[in-house]
Amino acid sequence: MNIETKQLYFSDVLVYKDTMLREDWQEGVVVMENFTLNEDIYRNGPVFFQLKQ
């Protein structure tokens, strides 16, 4: 099996940025879930998180 490196591209992406403690990371998940439900947005893609020191 060959593994290739390819570029990843998403269109129509929702971005939520916040500064919080590492142990509170799940609050961002709740914000995005509530937003998609309240705005009647169909979510069919992955969720990515980025942590910085």
Side-chain angles (χ1 to χ4, degrees), residues 5-51:
T5 302
K6 298 256 181 166
Q7 192 173 32
L8 187 61
Y9 173 78
F10 291 97
S11 60
D12 303 320
V13 175
L14 296 176
V15 177
Y16 172 73
K17 291 184 180 185
D18 197 355
T19 303
M20 61 183 66
L21 298 174
R22 184 180 296 247
E23 54 268 10
D24 297 333
W25 69 271
Q26 288 180 319
E27 290 179 24
V29 174
V30 173
V31 169
M32 290 301 289
E33 285 179 348
N34 288 338
F35 181 79
T36 54
L37 289 173
N38 293 336
E39 299 297 322
D40 200 27
I41 296 173
Y42 177 71
R43 187 176 82 195
N44 64 350
V47 176
F48 296 101
F49 287 90
Q50 179 180 19
L51 299 174

